[in-house]
Amino acid sequence: MKKTLTLIAAAIMLAACNPAQTVIKTKVPPRPAGQQDMIQFRAEPIADVGIGVVGLGDRGSGAVYRLPFVPGCHVAAICDVVPERAQHMLDELKDRGLTANVYSGAEDSYKALCEDPSVDLVYICTDWVHHVPIALYAMEHGKHVALEVPSAETLEACWDLVNTSERTRKHCVILENCCYDFFELTALQMAREGMFGEIIHAEGAYHHNLDYYWPRYWNNWRLEFNSKHRGDLYPTHGFGPICQALNIHRGDRLTTLVAMDTDPFNGPKHYKAVTGKDCPDFQGGDVTMTMLRTAKGKTILVEHDVMTPRPYDRMYQLVGTDGYAGKYPTEQICLRSEGTGRISYDDLGGELVIEGEELEKLMAEHRSPILTPELEALAKKVGGHGGMDFIMDYRMVYCLNHGLPMDMDVYDLAEWCCVTELSRISLQNGSRPVEVPDFTRGAWDRVQGFDYAFAE
Ligand SMILES: NC(=O)c1ccc[n+]([C@@H]2O[C@H](COP(=O)([O-])OP(=O)(O)OC[C@H]3O[C@@H](n4cnc5c(N)ncnc54)[C@H](O)[C@@H]3O)[C@@H](O)[C@H]2O)c1
């Protein structure tokens, strides 16, 4: 008995002395009394959604081009801190026989757009620092909001968006276009039909050599942000679509995260090339890897690399008990094969690989329910990353038109974006595990399985 107690005491002491054994917890603010969650939230239908676009750089100007092609909405207002950008966009609208209210010239010009009664939805395409203040102001002034990715860079911002959305009863949507890529849409449908058995592991990434993009960003905002912050700063393109396939907060939830990164080998060189200045204290590692575990025992790997010439890659790999879907480097589906009964060291694969024309045929048989042939044709014609941007806009407007729950809610936004600060906390603590907060505050298994809403 005495020996057992001594052993238990020794184990407790060891855990206390070894910080790697303990999971770091962040603060979960209690839901204020009287406030309800936004799971499956339905707003009043809006027949013709007036959209106010804030930030008219690369993404915002693309949105102003696309949105007039989306049925059930119109661009009601535009805003950029740079007056020439706003004027240029207005001229382009006028060339198409359209017009919009214009707000520009000051950092807080967006406030007047958020107060404009012709605006129902504020569509935010600014640099990262301005996303959240604009979104909060918009919801406080009775508007739904849609935020470019990554929508929030800190845990505090994630909680502010969740709480403000819950309190004001306004949608807060993350504009994660990669959830609407043709491969991701189809693989998600296959997963939902059970073709891969149970999805037990998934990988997603943002590998994008930004050499040619760095100098294009307004005021060098992106490289400045990378220079000041460690962690995965852009997780959602890879992470969002796989969270949908894993039914995150639709029957499962993220519980723990650990991260590791390289030193910033290239970051300071890019900084010098763009600004002409040295940055000896550059924070962001060139490659950051984050691993997560879910309550149901599934695992996820997310990677971020915008600094090396590695080919563009979002990984998007779903690993199931009976099958696999992978988008990069080659689109393929793998299923179990009966095999030949022989072991061959020339061909190590024991799986049935479906790719090329055969894959196209299979994908046509498992189309996403949201992807009608008409929508696919229009999306490819209007474009935006091959059409996925258009499908994203179309679905958001469709749900607002019919008063339906959004495909991506405020909890998706918070879960996908919290990786940034949580990975930083893990990195700054020697890759210690960090608890992923439950942004639904207990409602993560009320809905079972990811689904899209349709009008009756
Ligand atoms: N989903 C995607 O595929 C994708 C691709 C690229 C960028 N993005 C995201 O889109 C956002 C914008 O990126 P970008 O490449 O268009 O950047 P950008 O630098 O080209 O444009 C940013 C614009 O915001 C404006 N702006 C800054 N502060 C403002 C304020 N207070 N009020 C009004 N306007 C303001 C700037 O003048 C500029 O025109 C970022 O969040 C980025 O991460 C998403």
Side-chain angles (χ1 to χ4, degrees):
M1 177 69 177
K2 197 173 163 207
K3 197 172 165 201
T4 313
L5 285 176
T6 312
L7 279 174
I8 292 172
I12 292 170
M13 270 174 68
L14 194 66
C17 297
N18 183 358
Q21 298 291 314
T22 53
V23 177
I24 300 172
K25 295 185 189 214
T26 61
K27 196 165 165 266
V28 175
R31 177 173 283 125
Q35 190 169 299
Q36 284 176 356
D37 68 61
M38 294 292 281
I39 304 271
Q40 296 290 293
F41 173 72
R42 292 163 184 263
E44 280 299 307
I46 308 169
D48 181 17
V49 183
I51 302 183
V53 181
V54 185
L56 303 171
D58 198 24
R59 286 303 281 168
S61 58
V64 175
Y65 168 76
R66 281 192 315 275
L67 289 166
F69 294 103
V70 176
C73 74
H74 63 282
V75 176
I78 52 176
C79 169
D80 197 287
V81 66
V82 181
E84 295 74 26
R85 292 193 174 194
Q87 185 58 47
H88 178 70
M89 231 44 258
L90 180 66
D91 293 344
E92 287 203 353
L93 283 171
K94 286 194 167 159
D95 286 347
R96 297 161 75 182
L98 304 167
T99 192
N101 298 333
V102 177
Y103 303 96
S104 70
E107 196 176 349
D108 66 352
S109 297
Y110 68 83
K111 289 186 175 169
L113 178 141
C114 294
E115 291 161 22
D116 184 334
S118 70
V119 172
D120 302 299
L121 168 80
V122 179
Y123 193 111
I124 302 164
C125 301
T126 63
D127 62 290
W128 301 338
V129 172
H130 289 98
H131 282 179
V132 176
I134 300 172
L136 297 178
Y137 194 85
M139 286 189 276
E140 296 292 359
H141 288 80
K143 315 298 184 190
H144 300 296
V145 298
L147 288 133
E148 255 303 347
V149 297
S151 311
E153 291 289 337
T154 64
L155 288 169
E156 187 185 358
C158 290
W159 282 116
D160 281 350
L161 292 173
V162 166
N163 270 330
T164 307
S165 173
E166 288 181 349
R167 179 168 47 76
T168 60
R169 313 312 288 163
K170 293 292 158 196
H171 288 295
C172 183
V173 177
I174 176 167
L175 289 166
E176 186 37 84
N177 47 349
C178 297
C179 292
Y180 298 89
D181 175 276
F182 296 101
F183 187 86
E184 274 94 325
L185 278 178
T186 314
L188 175 61
Q189 181 58 16
M190 290 171 168
R192 294 171 63 211
E193 290 169 11
M195 221 170 112
F196 310 129
E198 186 164 4
I199 307 293
I200 57 171
H201 173 78
E203 304 191 3
Y206 190 63
H207 299 158
H208 193 180
N209 172 11
L210 293 181
D211 281 5
Y212 299 108
Y213 291 82
W214 294 124
R216 289 173 43 171
Y217 296 113
W218 171 76
N219 278 359
N220 195 32
W221 63 262
R222 191 156 181 174
L223 204 42
E224 288 295 347
F225 205 94
N226 278 258
S227 75
K228 293 185 180 72
H229 299 92
R230 204 172 164 192
D232 185 337
L233 301 186
Y234 203 73
T236 69
H237 284 336
F239 192 46
I242 60 184
C243 283
Q244 288 184 332
L246 282 164
N247 297 318
I248 299 303
H249 86 258
R250 294 161 179 94
D252 199 357
R253 72 181 185 87
L254 304 163
T255 53
T256 326
L257 171 155
V258 290
M260 195 174 279
D261 63 353
T262 68
D263 282 351
F265 292 94
N266 276 345
K269 293 184 208 158
H270 291 305
Y271 192 89
K272 174 100 179 177
V274 176
T275 65
K277 289 187 243 157
D278 289 319
C279 187
D281 195 26
F282 198 97
Q283 293 294 306
D286 285 356
V287 180
T288 305
M289 290 151 293
T290 306
M291 290 193 294
L292 297 102
R293 199 174 153 84
T294 77
K296 297 232 162 128
K298 321 281 180 78
T299 52
I300 299 171
L301 170 67
V302 190
E303 291 187 359
H304 179 245
D305 172 7
V306 292
M307 295 293 177
T308 75
R310 175 162 30 176
Y312 182 89
D313 186 340
R314 299 199 299 271
M315 274 153 78
Y316 190 70
Q317 300 182 358
L318 303 181
V319 182
T321 50
D322 296 314
Y324 163 91
K327 182 171 167 65
Y328 297 93
T330 312
E331 290 187 359
Q332 48 177 218
I333 300 290
C334 298
L335 301 172
R336 287 194 186 285
S337 85
E338 308 241 314
T340 59
R342 276 180 288 114
I343 291 177
S344 157
Y345 292 107
D346 294 321
D347 173 15
L348 297 175
E351 66 287 346
L352 172 69
V353 180
I354 304 165
E355 51 191 16
E357 271 179 30
E358 221 189 321
L359 177 61
E360 270 176 41
K361 215 172 122 223
L362 186 70
M363 287 180 66
E365 288 164 13
H366 297 272
R367 286 175 74 88
S368 167
I370 64 171
L371 198 58
T372 61
E374 299 74 38
L375 175 58
E376 181 170 351
L378 188 56
K380 285 185 171 157
K381 192 166 146 219
V382 178
H385 288 105
M388 66 185 183
D389 297 354
F390 183 84
I391 300 170
M392 170 185 72
D393 293 335
Y394 176 95
R395 273 297 299 175
M396 182 173 61
V397 171
Y398 173 89
C399 291
L400 287 170
N401 288 157
H402 297 281
L404 298 171
M406 295 289 166
D407 297 349
M408 301 179 287
D409 62 22
V410 70
Y411 307 112
D412 291 310
L413 181 156
E415 286 155 0
W416 303 349
C417 295
C418 75
V419 168
T420 295
E421 187 167 350
L422 293 179
S423 61
R424 184 175 314 132
I425 293 171
S426 177
L427 292 169
Q428 288 172 340
N429 289 278
S431 297
R432 260 173 76 185
V434 186
E435 185 179 78
V436 183
D438 171 16
F439 289 97
T440 70
R441 290 178 280 209
W444 58 275
D445 61 352
R446 189 180 318 138
V447 170
Q448 293 292 317
F450 176 85
D451 207 356
Y452 300 101
F454 293 96
E456 299 287 302

